[in-house]
Amino acid sequence: MTRGEKLYEGKAKILYATEDPQLVIQYFKDDATAFNAQKRGTIVDKGVVNNQISVHLFQWLEREGVPTHFVKQLSDREMLVKRLEIIPLEVTIRNIVAGGMAKMLGLEEGIVLKQPVFEWHYKSDALGDPLINDDHIFALGAATAQELAHIRQQSYRVNDVLKRYFAQRSIDLVDFKLEFGRCQDKILLGDEISPDTCRFWEQGTKRKLDKDRFRRDLGDIEAAYQEMLNRVIGAPAAR
Ligand code: 5GP
């Protein structure tokens, strides 16, 4: 598969066309942004780490019955994925209070939620991905009721699978963001799953091993990303 024209450049990734119109190359950059791109920086080798982590987690999710856009890894920073018509929504699932939920409801970070919290956000950098509900989505015609039900069900499944996966590696999956897209008559999980899009806390110490180290200037960012890669590709702890 060879890289064709650049189709889209986002904050952390670039999409390139290939000779197959159904397939695109997802290239992972080292660029990091936060707070709606007001804060910008570079995390050395983030692209390599996030590509590897995403490859591994997409393969794991496929094995657990969640269809994704992943086809195969092409290089350190590139994966081949199915071309999707991205649905302009971001799903967030939260297991522990942090970030946006702590701010919105005036809660302490770290409260373990009695059940996962599912949120729809409208995908818009200009608006800061605002929280919306099903009515907004239908009123905008962004997706159908059937599509929303399917995405919700798949997202909960991703949470169950990943919570278990990370617990076996002594990591709490605090929250994460997912994006989905249409591919022929199917809906597939797209984008990436990495320390850029999830909050990971080491069990016991609550050490943050994700992009919050960049957002909050906590230092040791590269080491935290590398640590997450080692945990993801490492064997589960014996229980
Ligand atoms: P929050 O709403 O608390 O800022 O984010 C919840 C979770 O979703 C966090 O794990 C965060 O990393 C992820 N997330 C939400 N929106 C975005 C986004 O626009 N980009 C990225 N990379 N992650 C996001």
Side-chain angles (χ1 to χ4, degrees), residues 11 90-94 98-101 119 121 125 129 175-177 179 192 195-199 211 215:
K11 288 172 283 185
E90 294 188 354
V91 167
T92 301
I93 293 204
R94 303 177 188 275
M101 183 172 183
E119 297 171 357
H121 292 257
D125 283 342
D129 303 334
D175 55 31
F176 57 93
K177 184 261 292 186
E179 295 183 28
E192 66 181 297
D196 271 16
T197 63
C198 306
R199 285 194 174 93
K211 201 165 121 183
R215 293 186 187 104

Side-chain angles (χ1 to χ4, degrees), residues 16-39:
Y16 294 97
T18 68
E19 51 269 43
D20 183 336
Q22 312 292 342
L23 298 175
V24 296
I25 293 170
Q26 179 161 260
Y27 176 95
F28 287 74
K29 302 193 283 185
D30 286 349
D31 300 355
T33 61
F35 312 118
N36 215 6
Q38 284 168 43
K39 179 180 173 120

